[in-house]
Amino acid sequence: SDVYKRQDLPDLPTDLRRFLLQVPAGEVTTFGELATALGDRTAARWVATQLAVWRNDRTVFSTIPWHRVVKRDGELASGTSEQRQSQSWLLTREA
């Protein structure tokens, strides 16, 4: 049916990338804030999952400011100790 043309569907990964690129250097956002920007606050887990998927694709991951995303309580969001250390270093460098 013409009602569900592909261009009518959102491209959430592209939109998420665009929102991430809008976070200014030295500032942070949360998974929930990004989910809200995408139109659904409850999609915070999807945002976290998408960042994890991108983490495995270095060509994408190196082009987004992933380190500017923190948990809602302000804790660093990266999974491993090495990733948290890298996130902390990048944030400190921007401050």
Side-chain angles (χ1 to χ4, degrees):
S1 164
D2 288 336
V3 176
Y4 298 106
K5 292 181 181 176
R6 176 67 180 130
Q7 65 267 22
D8 294 334
L9 299 175
D11 182 349
L12 294 177
T14 297
D15 290 345
L16 175 58
R17 186 177 190 281
R18 184 170 42 87
F19 291 137
L20 275 170
L21 292 171
Q22 293 175 16
V23 179
E27 294 191 25
V28 295
T29 189
T30 66
F31 297 111
E33 289 170 340
L34 289 168
T36 298
L38 289 169
D40 186 354
R41 173 83 169 96
T42 63
R45 188 174 301 266
W46 177 86
V47 171
T49 300
Q50 184 62 45
L51 285 174
V53 167
W54 284 339
R55 186 180 301 129
N56 294 324
D57 183 346
R58 296 288 180 207
T59 57
V60 173
F61 206 55
S62 65
T63 65
I64 58 171
W66 62 271
H67 59 282
R68 296 180 189 150
V69 182
V70 298
K71 296 178 184 177
R72 84 176 145 212
D73 62 4
E75 291 286 319
L76 297 181
S78 295
T80 68
S81 174
E82 181 180 292
Q83 291 164 346
R84 283 190 300 278
Q85 203 170 36
S86 178
Q87 184 177 18
S88 177
W89 181 82
L90 289 166
L91 287 172
T92 300
R93 194 178 84 179
E94 288 184 350

